[in-house]
Amino acid sequence: MIYHACHELPFTQIHIVDTEFFGDDGDQKAPVCLVVRELLSGNVNRYWMDELRQMNQPPFDIGADALFVAFFASAEFSVFLALGWDLPANIFDCHAEFRCQTNGKTLPFGNGQVGALQYFGITDVDQNAKDDMRQCILTGGPWSPDERLAILDYCQSDVDGLGRLFSAMLNRWPLKSIDLEQALARGRYVATVARMEFRGVPIDVEILNLMRNNWHHLKQALIKETDQAYGVYEQGSFRTHLFERYLTTQDIAWPRLPSGELQLDRDTFKMMALRYPQLANLRELRKTLAEMREIKLTVGCDGRNRTLLSPFQSKTGRNQPSTTKFIFGLPAWARSLIKPEPGTALAYLDFSSQEIAIAACLSNDEALWEAYASGDPYIQFAINAGLAPIGATKESHEVVRDACKVIMLGVQYGMSAYGMGQKASLHVLEAEDLLQSHKDVYRTFWRWADQNVNAGLAGVELHTVFGWKIRAGKGRDVKENTFLNWPMQANGAEMLRLACIALEEAGISICAPVHDAILIEAPLEKIDTHVAQATSIMQMASEWVLGTGRQCRVDAKIVRWPDRYIDGRGANMWSFIQSRLGEEVA
Amino acid sequence: MASENGNPPFDPSRFAMPSTGAEEFGTRKIRSAITTDKPGKMEWVRVFDHKDYFLPGAALLDLQDGGRKYLVVPEIAAQLGDDVKLYNIAPALTRQDKLFLWPCPIIRPGETPNQWHVTHIAAFEASKSGWIRMKSNRACGYYDIIEPEKIMPEPDWPDMSFADMLQIAFNDDHIIDRDDHPALRRLKGGM
């Protein structure tokens, strides 16, 4: 069955919905109005906030026979959740689907609703008028009768536009049954995102406020303290000539730009700090100063960090939340602001070596899967490549294992032998030999990876197991490494999405997704049970992507109140900040 | 456990597509350059040991100008004396997947064996069954043959006929099959 038009879809009702709401960054949203058009009958209903607040459930069918259509539906669901409503069974998010169909293409008008309409040649939407109305709504009222009418008209205009967009999308990209199922799964994830955004991450507001009030002094103190080991700051500013001098004294060969100047971008610092651990604190300081000119973390009046998670915004389909408003976007030390509420605990669960498992299973490389399944893919690679004897362990062959780890992770990103050598402190010839060994040992994987790269560069549409797509668009600067790494990243993102859906629907409370991990929350007495249940569900989700009988390992770290979350990479800086804050308060 | 709206538990396995979509997109590597030379001293090599991929007693002319060698047909080779040398030729691969034709010298009946040739032939033979490196040992006047300590995987032999390999290595302009071939004219000082 292929669906080309709305009336062909297997639903008795199709509701096109838009809502308006307001609320400060970090707070749960307050509903203003809702407009719904049932597409098959054409009936339109408009509801103002006082009517909505009297309803226990949405004023339309959200059951198994009805389809809910919205653009960036998590926004609509923030209103549903604020009103205590259930979320629909079947969700088609036009934003997620538009992203999926156009991923990799150049979109001259962007991927917002107006941009999507313009993509289909629907140009009678006035963006400026929309912006004016949004400003009016965000004031939070009170609104005059005329303003109420204007807001409802505005909301309905979005519903009308969305109906046209939905029809145009179906016409351009007809849905096979499997496509529809996959789109509905993405919609289900958007509902999960709304729940995560609604719940937020518990923050130690007392410390946060202290930090905010003293941030300027703290930054100066951080520079003074950290720079003692480097001597590269002058009057609070990083000085390149001083850094050059430091590098000379440390005998560190630093990458340079073609102009001869030092390459000081974030990735270079990250790579060099891995190779020269003495640079780690300087790197953390630079990241802190760059990203936390001021503390923009958005925390609601209930002490929880909330921001848009922006699902499906990256090429891989991953979420792309703000790096300054989202707690997990901040430097590692700042994550220690995360603290469970009294009587509760948090748990951080992540997939272990997820990319290797995906690469092994999707390429059907049994040797690579055996390496993953062994529990330590890096030492297993060393053994398979003849670099370590059978029975070698992380402890017995640490150096060769570390080198093999760099190679195994680097190949997923198309890292050069030079880059691998830099990262693993190997001579480039040693790195070349190790890379060759990887190609020898995991030949099936490499054939598969080459095929993906060749097909991707040729403009063939690649897809994940559950239908997230990418296609090199005309005029785009396509890179080999994009298509080398995309299958692992995009399927990894999908694995986490499926896990989030299943976890939330099983009653596990997720505070936030974090790349290949999640942060969950539970009462103290239930956290162990929830972690066990969540682990099992995440393994099941990994099996959906990897195939029957193959699961990713899941690691869990529990933080019980009154402890706080600690990321080892930022532990020193967090301790220093706390000691300085103590002095400031005293 | 049912979800809040009464749906059955989430199970997407029925709409999985375990592929990337690139499977139908076949590619093959075009070998546009095949050299005819002994392996470099740093190269690990394997010879393809197959009767259909073996050219015995081939005459090669090397003008010593840094250019490619010429394959000389027997009738003309017989007229050139010591200017051409006879080799057994077989395709070989390096670990870096460089395909080349390996000319292995021949010791003619009655000829006093030259240790360079003897060890060269031994290296050629050894590389039919395993990876080797052939490295000149000038002090001793022969080639050292080096085998790896660990087992290295079998090479992926290209799906290509020997005739095609010869065609790429010599094209038409590097096969001397007439008396007025420019290479012969240069050899005779006619150019």
Side-chain angles (χ1 to χ4, degrees):
Chain A
M1 183 71 191
I2 299 178
Y3 308 108
H4 300 81
C6 307
H7 66 272
E8 296 172 349
L9 290 167
F11 302 103
T12 55
Q13 296 177 47
I14 298 172
H15 299 110
I16 309 285
V17 180
D18 190 40
T19 61
E20 303 303 333
F21 50 85
F22 66 92
D24 289 336
D25 268 356
D27 277 323
Q28 293 173 349
K29 303 304 174 202
V32 174
C33 68
L34 179 150
V35 175
V36 52
R37 176 190 292 275
E38 201 287 296
L39 209 55
L40 301 177
S41 65
N43 291 339
V44 176
N45 286 293
R46 300 157 42 128
Y47 304 92
W48 191 249
M49 57 165 71
D50 41 4
E51 295 171 273
L52 296 172
R53 287 196 177 116
Q54 289 171 9
M55 298 174 184
N56 295 324
Q57 289 298 326
F60 50 85
D61 186 2
I62 56 167
D65 295 330
L67 179 66
F68 178 97
V69 180
F71 195 93
F72 221 98
S74 51
E76 272 54 69
F77 296 148
S78 69
V79 169
F80 276 49
L81 293 168
L83 291 165
W85 294 354
D86 289 341
L87 302 187
N90 300 304
I91 301 150
F92 188 99
D93 186 330
C94 288
H95 172 260
E97 297 317 301
F98 185 72
R99 281 282 303 118
C100 183
Q101 295 291 350
T102 60
N103 192 23
K105 291 184 180 175
T106 304
L107 298 174
F109 309 109
N111 58 34
Q113 184 169 331
V114 173
L117 284 164
Q118 289 183 315
Y119 180 86
F120 288 102
I122 304 168
T123 55
D124 53 354
V125 182
D126 184 349
Q127 182 66 52
N128 292 333
K130 274 177 76 79
D131 292 343
D132 290 347
M133 284 309 299
R134 281 300 302 159
Q135 287 308 313
C136 174
I137 293 163
L138 290 175
T139 61
W143 297 281
S144 69
D146 284 347
E147 285 174 326
R148 278 176 60 156
L149 190 61
I151 290 171
L152 280 165
D153 286 346
Y154 160 68
C155 190
Q156 185 175 337
S157 72
D158 269 357
V159 168
D160 292 343
L162 185 54
R164 294 163 75 189
L165 176 63
F166 181 53
S167 297
M169 287 174 70
L170 268 181
N171 186 265
R172 175 80 62 90
W173 302 308
L175 297 169
K176 296 197 287 283
S177 294
I178 192 170
D179 300 329
L180 179 61
E181 296 236 48
Q182 291 172 344
L184 295 179
R186 284 187 285 273
R188 216 155 161 169
Y189 177 66
V190 172
T192 304
V193 164
R195 290 190 181 96
M196 294 189 282
E197 288 178 351
F198 189 74
R199 190 172 292 117
V201 180
I203 296 294
D204 186 337
V205 178
E206 196 180 332
I207 298 283
L208 175 65
N209 287 339
L210 267 177
M211 280 174 48
R212 278 199 165 120
N213 293 337
N214 296 283
W215 188 231
H216 179 70
H217 292 130
L218 276 176
K219 280 196 294 187
Q220 297 308 315
L222 262 179
I223 293 171
K224 194 174 168 188
E225 168 74 11
T226 311
D227 195 41
Q228 282 178 13
Y230 305 100
V232 298
Y233 279 81
E234 207 172 56
Q235 295 174 329
S237 296
F238 181 86
R239 301 292 182 203
T240 308
H241 71 277
L242 295 177
F243 188 51
E244 288 249 28
R245 197 167 67 189
Y246 168 80
L247 293 172
T248 306
T249 60
Q250 295 289 310
D251 201 18
I252 294 174
W254 191 272
R256 290 179 183 272
L257 297 166
S259 63
E261 291 175 16
L262 294 173
Q263 201 166 325
L264 296 172
D265 61 283
R266 183 185 298 185
D267 286 344
T268 304
F269 251 97
K270 185 177 177 182
M271 181 186 79
M272 295 301 282
L274 282 171
R275 183 168 182 193
Y276 300 101
Q278 68 265 39
L279 290 166
N281 284 345
L282 180 61
R283 178 193 165 222
E284 186 79 352
L285 175 66
R286 280 174 58 86
K287 188 169 156 66
T288 299
L289 297 176
E291 293 177 4
M292 297 184 70
R293 209 172 291 273
E294 52 186 309
I295 300 175
K296 292 181 179 169
L297 190 71
T298 47
V299 179
C301 55
D302 57 355
R304 299 183 78 97
N305 169 227
R306 291 187 188 84
T307 188
L308 289 181
L309 293 174
S310 300
F312 303 108
Q313 280 296 83
S314 75
K315 274 185 190 166
T316 59
R318 286 195 195 280
N319 309 312
Q320 213 164 54
S322 159
T323 54
T324 55
K325 294 179 178 176
F326 184 47
I327 185 69
F328 285 100
L330 300 184
W333 65 264
R335 296 183 182 186
S336 290
L337 285 166
I338 300 172
K339 187 173 179 182
E341 291 180 351
T344 71
L346 299 168
Y348 185 88
L349 295 99
D350 67 330
F351 289 115
S352 172
S353 304
Q354 184 196 45
E355 291 170 23
I356 295 175
I358 292 169
C361 291
L362 295 191
S363 68
N364 290 312
D365 190 316
E366 288 302 317
L368 190 52
W369 174 252
E370 279 172 23
Y372 180 79
S374 73
D376 187 340
Y378 314 119
I379 198 71
Q380 192 58 42
F381 167 43
I383 294 169
N384 289 347
L387 304 167
I390 293 171
T393 63
K394 182 178 179 179
E395 289 72 28
S396 68
H397 289 74
E398 188 181 354
V399 174
V400 72
R401 179 188 179 274
D402 286 350
C404 286
K405 181 175 180 180
V406 170
I407 302 299
M408 282 195 99
L409 297 178
V411 295
Q412 317 265 355
Y413 293 89
M415 191 184 276
S416 66
Y418 172 79
M420 291 175 184
Q422 288 279 309
K423 200 168 174 182
S425 298
L426 294 172
H427 191 280
V428 66
L429 294 178
E430 291 175 299
E432 278 176 1
D433 285 348
L434 274 176
L435 188 55
Q436 183 64 47
S437 292
H438 192 278
K439 290 181 177 179
D440 290 339
V441 175
Y442 306 121
R443 209 177 280 191
T444 308
F445 160 75
W446 276 99
R447 265 199 292 270
W448 174 80
D450 283 346
Q451 196 171 33
N452 291 330
V453 169
N454 285 323
L457 292 174
V460 173
E461 185 178 271
L462 303 187
H463 60 74
T464 61
V465 173
F466 291 96
W468 181 252
K469 301 170 184 172
I470 189 168
R471 171 179 271 172
K474 287 177 188 166
R476 289 294 288 264
D477 180 21
V478 288
K479 295 190 177 83
E480 184 176 338
N481 287 348
T482 299
F483 297 107
L484 178 68
N485 188 234
W486 188 88
M488 274 70 83
Q489 290 295 328
N491 280 291
E494 196 156 67
M495 189 187 291
L496 193 76
R497 286 200 296 274
L498 299 178
C500 287
I501 296 169
L503 286 163
E504 277 286 343
E505 295 188 2
I508 305 286
S509 298
I510 311 175
C511 297
V514 192
H515 196 74
D516 59 356
I518 51 162
L519 185 74
I520 69 168
E521 180 179 40
L524 272 171
E525 66 278 12
K526 291 185 177 173
I527 190 69
D528 291 319
T529 315
H530 280 220
V531 166
Q533 193 183 356
T535 301
S536 167
I537 290 172
M538 287 174 75
Q539 287 170 337
M540 179 178 69
S542 72
E543 191 167 338
W544 288 329
V545 174
L546 302 180
T548 306
R550 303 212 152 163
Q551 295 188 341
C552 268
R553 290 182 296 281
V554 174
D555 299 326
K557 187 170 78 175
I558 299 176
V559 183
R560 293 178 168 84
W561 182 86
D563 292 341
R564 67 177 65 248
Y565 185 96
I566 298 281
D567 185 317
R569 296 168 299 168
N572 288 343
M573 200 163 276
W574 174 256
S575 293
F576 174 74
I577 287 173
Q578 292 317 290
S579 66
R580 290 306 302 227
L581 274 179
E583 290 169 22
E584 295 284 344
V585 171
Chain B
M1 186 185 293
S3 63
E4 63 187 35
N5 45 33
N7 273 353
F10 181 60
D11 179 5
S13 51
R14 69 182 180 281
F15 50 87
M17 308 183 296
S19 68
T20 61
E23 290 73 12
E24 301 301 314
F25 188 81
T27 56
R28 76 186 169 89
K29 191 170 182 174
I30 295 175
R31 307 275 179 173
S32 56
I34 298 176
T35 58
T36 308
D37 224 333
K38 67 176 190 253
K41 62 182 177 182
M42 301 304 289
E43 288 178 322
W44 290 94
V45 289
R46 283 292 304 271
V47 158
F48 188 43
D49 184 22
H50 192 285
K51 64 179 175 56
D52 294 340
Y53 287 76
F54 185 68
L55 182 60
L60 293 183
L61 170 64
D62 186 353
L63 290 179
Q64 304 287 335
D65 59 356
R68 288 153 59 202
K69 294 180 177 61
Y70 292 83
L71 180 65
V72 188
V73 298
E75 309 84 74
I76 295 182
Q79 305 166 22
L80 296 177
D82 290 343
D83 286 332
V84 294
K85 291 192 170 64
L86 297 182
Y87 298 91
N88 291 327
I89 295 180
L93 270 182
T94 69
R95 288 268 288 161
Q96 285 68 40
D97 198 38
K98 183 183 91 176
L99 176 66
F100 67 103
L101 297 181
W102 184 349
C104 179
I106 294 172
I107 300 172
R108 299 181 204 207
E111 189 180 340
T112 306
N114 166 332
Q115 284 306 299
W116 288 107
H117 286 179
V118 170
T119 49
H120 191 151
I121 293 166
F124 184 86
E125 291 300 320
S127 73
K128 289 179 179 174
S129 55
W131 290 96
I132 60 108
R133 201 153 70 77
M134 187 175 89
K135 185 182 169 194
S136 65
N137 184 336
R138 292 188 185 282
C140 297
Y142 55 70
Y143 288 108
D144 287 331
I145 304 168
I146 301 164
E147 288 181 339
E149 288 178 359
K150 59 174 183 170
I151 297 169
M152 299 206 289
E154 289 293 305
D156 268 338
W157 293 106
D159 183 16
M160 188 176 187
S161 72
F162 192 40
D164 285 344
M165 292 180 192
L166 291 168
Q167 177 63 33
I168 292 167
F170 298 106
N171 318 74
D172 291 334
D173 62 350
H174 274 65
I175 296 176
I176 300 177
D177 53 0
R178 54 192 166 91
D179 290 334
D180 62 346
H181 192 282
L184 293 186
R185 290 213 299 272
R186 175 176 289 189
L187 194 66
K188 293 170 185 169
M191 291 180 72

